[in-house]
Amino acid sequence: MSLPLTSADLVGVDLAAADRDDATRRLIDLLAAAGRVTDADGFHADVRAREAQMATGMPGGVGLPHARSEHVTAPSLAVGKLREPVDWGAPDGPARLVFLIAAPAGGDADHLQILAALARRLVHESFRQSLLDAPDAATVAEIVQREVVPS
Amino acid sequence: MKFVAVSSCPTGIAHTYMAAEALEQAGKAAGHEVHVETQGAAGSTPLDPAIIAAADGVIYAADLEVQARERFAGKPSVDVGVKKAVHDPTGVLAQAVAAVEAGVPAEDAAAAGAAPSAPRPATKVDANAGVGTRVRQWLMTGVSYMIPFVAAGGILIALGFMVAQVAWPGNEGPVAVTAVPVEDLITSFSITSGQDWAVLLYQTGAAAFGFLVAVLSGFIAYAIADRPGLVPGFVGGAISVVIGAGFLGGLVTGFVGGFLALWISRWKVPKGVRGVMPVVVTPLLSSLLTGFLMFVLIGRPIANVMEGLTSWLNGLSGSNLVLMGALLGAMMGFDLGGPINKVAYTFAVTGLATGGLTGDAVQYRIMAAVMAAGMIAPLAMALATTVRRALFTHAERENGKAAWLLGLSFISEGAIPFAAADPWRVIVSSVVGSSATGAIAMAVGSGVRAPHGGIWVLPLISNPLGFLLAVAVGTVVTAGVVVVLKGLRPNPVVQAEREADAAAATAGTPAAAQPATA
């Protein structure tokens, strides 16, 4: 793996966002600033298309927008902790934690193993809580790097 | 209770795995055993058939069509979709328990194939990949199933030559072993006879080789169309051998058979017919159409080309021998057992049968040039996989080891897995090197009276050092060209494997030191 999945500059803590689309855009801007997404608008359209198929609100206050897109240069994860929770379409309430998964369009299975491992970790409440408790971006990135290991 | 589940979602990177984890955790909490097959973008590892057999019920948490659903036939099942499994795994599990207790017969039991829990051969296909990648994955699936046949068959044949070299007096063994009729082997095999063992090895290897093209074609079709593709693929590959179209014909039949089967299996048919589609209708129609295409449409042009080439070669006799060696060498390297190769080989072998030849007859020199050239492709691939491992897939590297022996034994088929996986680069490099070898073998004046055997008939070869030089030069040339060509445009399958290796290597160290806590 050349690039780690995420890093402190891909984490937004205390993010103010009006709604789902706005929160997604802020995370996309982080990916674009880090050079992991070449075309922010194009990628945003891909994420919206996925979100329109089926909302990605997950149990436990998690939003998990994601897309495989040709505008993505490296498999990446942007994490946002929202100041105010926004509705992400989950039946059990709005989302406070948002994970934006950006996967390149190519079919490299080994990258996707990591994303699969992340999705599996998200089911565990202890993992979500540790991210909510994390004081800063660096800690969030460090927790993800440590906990998300392909099985 | 024990459950098996399948999860999938449109993108295949999030819900698929969350549903799997949620179901497994909910099962753990409720005291049930749950095994989930994640049919996601990261590839899916099929459930162990023993686990499926032991399961009381099946949970489909799948938004895509379940792959190989017939494995679960006859078991009580619930079909809930992926979202429900993510948000309410406990409820889904309760539903599944209820279904098992009620003994709900699976609605798809009737549509299942003949062997419900048979293990399913793996493919290397990722349904979400682009067209170019998928074509390569289809090819690689066929190649990966063919490689064991190449290795086992080729090594058996080579061993047969080696034993024959010892078992027959003089140096006639490698020639004599191929002339013993199978009937003699059946009626009078003697466990103490080296000659009989040599014939046994040779004939068994030849039988394994008989499958090469059919297995290649059959598993390309399987990768494209799943089980319905197997019959037209295998049948098409077998026909390709019959009409002399070789492995290139097998590539064609693999794709043709696969897509015919895929197309036919998607027909909208009345419910009454649906049950017999996968077992009778699809294989029958797709095989018939493949057979028509091969025998009627492709068979005659190939026969015409072979005839034309043969008469052209016969007309060339007596002209510049070095040029002729280069030409025959190029033909030997072109399709590795296919029509062009066969014309050159038959031309040389037919020459041997000419009566009253003297020791340095042109016919013997032609045979030597053809034999040397036919050794190049497998030897060069073996060399290339040794010096530039990173350019080849894992399967190819393994095959490269066997290719040394196959090449030395003049078994050109040893290079087919390489050529089938990457036809243009391998064929171009093979033609260049084999052609050089043919020319050099002619120039140094080597001759041989044996039509088979490669290095094992070296004692029968005049100017053996010149012969070896020709082989060495061609091997290095072809290996060099293929390394350059493959280096220009890296193969994504190889890159993916390399990254997987790197990830596995790094994951083993720091990650293991800090195990994730739940």
Side-chain angles (χ1 to χ4, degrees), chain A residues 68 105-109 112, chain B residues 8-13 17 38-44 64-68 120 123-138 141 222-226 259 262 266:
Chain A
R68 297 175 74 181
D108 287 354
L112 299 165
Chain B
S8 69
C9 60
T11 321
I13 61 182
Y17 303 97
T38 50
Q39 297 184 345
S44 98
L64 302 181
E65 196 166 324
V66 175
Q67 291 166 21
R120 179 168 174 270
T123 67
K124 297 178 179 294
V125 176
D126 168 6
N128 299 318
V131 174
T133 310
R134 293 184 68 180
V135 167
R136 208 172 282 111
Q137 288 168 331
W138 293 328
T141 300
Y222 174 80
I224 293 170
D226 219 87
F259 280 108
L262 192 64
R266 283 179 177 171

Side-chain angles (χ1 to χ4, degrees), chain B residues 364-366 368-369 441-448 461-467:
Chain B
Y364 293 152
R365 293 176 62 186
I366 288 173
M442 278 293 191
V444 299
S446 276
V448 62
I461 297 173
S462 59
N463 191 1
L465 283 180
F467 182 88

